[in-house]
Amino acid sequence: MEATSLREKIQANAARGTLLPGQILATVEEVLSATQFVDMHTHLFSPALGKLGLWGIDELLTYHYLEAEFFRSSSMKPEQYWTLSKRAQADAIWQALFVENSPVSESTRGVIAVLQAFGLPTSGPDLEDARSFFRSQTIDSHIQNVFQMAGMKTAVMTNDPLDTEEGPMWMNGIRADSRFQPVLRLDRVLWGWSTHWQKLAAQGYDVSERADEKSLAEIRRFLSDWHKRMQPVYMAVSLPFTFQFPEQSTLSRLVSEAVLPACRELDLPLSLMIGVRRQVNPRIRLAGDAVGKANLQALENLCRDYPDNRFLVSVLSRENQHELCVYARKFANLMPFGCWWFLNNPSIVEEITRERIELLGTSFIPQHSDARVLEQVIYKWHNTRATMAPILANSYQLLLRDGGSISREDIRRDVERLFCGNFQQWIRRKGN
Ligand code: RAT
Ligand code: ZN
């Protein structure tokens, strides 16, 4: 009797496509590699934005994550490093981190993985082969190739309307490119209003340093005009670990009276990246930012007091991750995303992702690449898939242990939701 019902159960499961425990990991790996991801936060640019888009070996080696590591393994002082040409900087980093030492950190391994992916030498005294390979590429087909190698269909950009190079390009009109989605980045507008308000004034907005009622209305007009010009998928700002909301400050007023109403009117989410401790070492420039634990009560206040706004949120401190999940359980207008910057290491990604699945199921966005140099998406998304596969497989094994079942189609649905659907739903767009 027992045996019959077991056999019947196995047959019924097979008919429904239900997987056996031994099939789960391989199926998860297969689905992860077959799914084209949306990279919902990068610093990459469409070819129409010209020289802003970084690619090639010299850019890969001078990534600020590697510069921070370079100063630990070289006796060169930052002041001397900044006087070198990009090519000489790349040579110095190659020598210190790849020739004289084993490239075992996450960022150095990333360069090795990119070289390997293109069949280029991963060791050797110089970079000539790599340089000549990248010189021979044309950007449009190279992007196509890189996206395919990374298994991604879209890269979401970071576009600053007040950047002196980028702003005028948008003013002159940028050809839309379905592979790249724009984002209206507001750091300059929101931070240091006392220095940046004049940039808005220069664009014809009647604003003043006091950020009074008239200025707030003009900032809303500025956001709406830039929305028309850029067609961004969300607005975004990076915030320091000291961020408080609400408080008596210009930032707080700009957020509540200009940005949040504009997001509601334009039906756009607001992305908040919280936790930077800016310029603890200005000598190493972009590499000189660190991390601080934030008080996420600011986020609680935002999510509760603005239920008609949608928030995409990443927090930089490892110590804030659990709280972020708890807030996401309380507020359906909060979408946690990514393991960012100092968190993007397999050991920490694993911990954070397990915690998110346990607390939120599949209702979060596990990762974005934050790539600044095109080819980085190859190693970053490869690593994400490698870390994700055993985590997801383990979740399904636990489900089976508890008496549930899982099919390939269920796994496909979950991976699609995690790496595409949650984001597309948040930006209310279908398709790419
Ligand atoms: O991860 C990074 O590259 C940081 O420098 C920041 O750019 C961060 O990603 C941000 O978007 O502010
Ligand atoms: Zn970023």
Side-chain angles (χ1 to χ4, degrees):
M1 182 67 185
E2 276 272 295
T4 316
S5 66
L6 183 61
R7 199 177 323 115
E8 277 166 5
K9 199 172 168 191
I10 290 172
Q11 278 165 355
N13 281 350
R16 279 204 308 272
T18 303
L19 299 169
L20 299 169
Q23 299 172 305
I24 285 186
L25 180 59
T27 309
V28 170
E29 284 169 343
E30 186 209 315
V31 171
L32 280 169
S33 77
T35 308
Q36 302 285 297
F37 294 172
V38 174
D39 194 343
M40 54 79 62
H41 169 59
T42 76
H43 298 265
L44 304 179
F45 292 93
S46 68
L49 285 150
K51 284 213 290 290
L52 293 181
L54 305 180
W55 58 287
I57 189 64
D58 291 339
E59 298 295 350
L60 284 166
L61 283 165
T62 53
Y63 184 33
H64 70 91
Y65 291 24
L66 288 171
E67 288 175 334
E69 294 172 34
F70 168 71
F71 293 117
R72 303 190 53 74
S73 293
S74 162
S75 56
M76 193 183 291
K77 297 273 173 285
E79 292 71 19
Q80 188 190 346
Y81 175 83
W82 302 122
T83 66
L84 302 178
S85 66
K86 174 134 305 197
R87 186 187 168 99
Q89 289 174 341
D91 284 336
I93 291 181
W94 179 256
Q95 182 63 25
L97 296 181
F98 295 80
V99 178
E100 290 166 12
N101 291 285
S102 299
V104 290
S105 71
E106 175 71 6
S107 309
T108 51
R109 276 195 301 110
V111 176
I112 298 296
V114 169
L115 292 172
Q116 165 73 19
F118 288 110
L120 294 165
T122 55
S123 60
D126 66 48
L127 298 162
E128 285 327 303
D129 287 344
R131 286 195 176 116
S132 86
F133 168 79
F134 286 110
R135 258 197 311 272
S136 71
Q137 303 304 311
T138 47
I139 189 61
D140 223 65
S141 57
H142 186 51
I143 289 173
Q144 209 68 34
N145 199 14
V146 167
F147 274 34
Q148 202 202 338
M149 290 162 88
M152 53 184 266
K153 52 183 167 187
T154 330
V156 178
M157 303 184 278
T158 298
N159 306 100
D160 181 350
L162 299 189
D163 182 86
T164 46
E165 266 189 90
E166 187 174 3
M169 293 197 218
W170 285 103
M171 297 277 204
N172 293 331
I174 291 293
R175 190 171 12 95
D177 182 328
S178 61
R179 298 168 300 182
F180 293 89
Q181 293 180 320
V183 159
L184 188 48
R185 179 83 172 218
L186 300 176
D187 291 31
R188 278 206 177 85
V189 180
L190 293 177
W191 286 103
W193 176 249
S194 56
T195 45
H196 293 130
W197 69 270
Q198 280 150 325
K199 292 192 174 211
L200 267 74
Q203 287 187 21
Y205 297 93
D206 187 4
V207 289
S208 69
E209 187 170 359
R210 283 188 303 122
D212 51 12
E213 285 302 318
K214 172 80 191 156
S215 298
L216 292 165
E218 282 293 274
I219 299 169
R220 291 194 293 272
R221 186 165 72 86
F222 165 87
L223 295 173
S224 158
D225 289 347
W226 275 90
H227 175 258
K228 269 193 221 102
R229 187 171 291 133
M230 232 183 219
Q231 296 291 307
V233 288
Y234 59 83
M235 297 194 202
V237 61
S238 153
L239 297 159
F241 75 106
T242 49
F243 174 61
Q244 307 268 1
F245 186 92
E247 62 171 2
Q248 289 294 342
S249 69
T250 306
L251 170 74
S252 210
R253 207 161 65 251
L254 295 181
V255 169
S256 60
E257 307 291 322
V259 177
L260 292 172
C263 283
R264 286 194 298 274
E265 195 186 310
L266 302 166
D267 198 20
L268 290 183
L270 176 63
S271 165
L272 307 171
M273 302 180 79
I274 309 172
V276 185
R277 196 178 170 92
R278 286 191 210 284
Q279 291 296 286
V280 298
N281 184 1
R283 288 176 72 199
I284 59 172
R285 300 189 182 175
L286 200 50
D289 290 347
V291 55
K293 184 177 183 301
N295 180 353
L296 292 193
Q297 226 170 315
L299 188 58
E300 172 187 323
N301 296 336
L302 278 165
C303 292
R304 187 191 46 243
D305 298 345
Y306 298 91
D308 296 330
N309 281 95
R310 305 189 295 288
F311 300 96
L312 286 157
V313 178
S314 209
V315 288
L316 191 53
S317 165
R318 181 183 177 195
E319 287 68 29
N320 280 136
Q321 301 303 323
H322 182 252
E323 268 172 289
L324 178 64
C325 290
V326 174
Y327 280 126
R329 292 176 66 88
K330 307 299 129 190
F331 299 108
N333 59 341
L334 167 57
M335 177 66 78
F337 77 90
C339 301
W340 166 38
W341 208 341
F342 315 114
L343 300 168
N344 191 7
N345 306 303
S347 60
I348 300 184
V349 171
E350 182 178 338
E351 167 187 295
I352 294 174
T353 309
R354 280 186 195 281
E355 184 171 66
R356 287 177 176 172
I357 292 177
E358 284 161 2
L359 282 163
L360 304 173
T362 54
S363 68
F364 69 99
I365 299 168
Q367 194 54 302
H368 65 275
S369 76
D370 232 312
R372 281 178 184 263
V373 184
L374 176 66
E375 299 85 1
Q376 288 171 341
V377 293
I378 297 172
Y379 85 83
K380 291 189 183 228
W381 283 116
H382 177 270
N383 293 357
T384 294
R385 286 183 170 87
T387 311
M388 195 71 193
I391 298 173
L392 262 187
N394 180 60
S395 308
Y396 296 132
Q397 297 289 5
L398 293 174
L399 174 62
L400 256 53
R401 192 196 64 186
D402 290 337
S405 62
I406 199 84
S407 68
R408 188 183 187 285
E409 178 48 30
D410 295 331
I411 297 175
R412 200 206 52 74
R413 176 202 57 204
D414 294 348
V415 168
E416 166 69 26
R417 177 175 182 192
L418 286 163
F419 289 100
C420 306
N422 284 331
F423 178 67
Q424 273 152 358
Q425 186 205 359
W426 225 244
I427 63 167
R428 302 203 205 277
R429 293 208 187 162
K430 295 249 176 294
N432 54 2

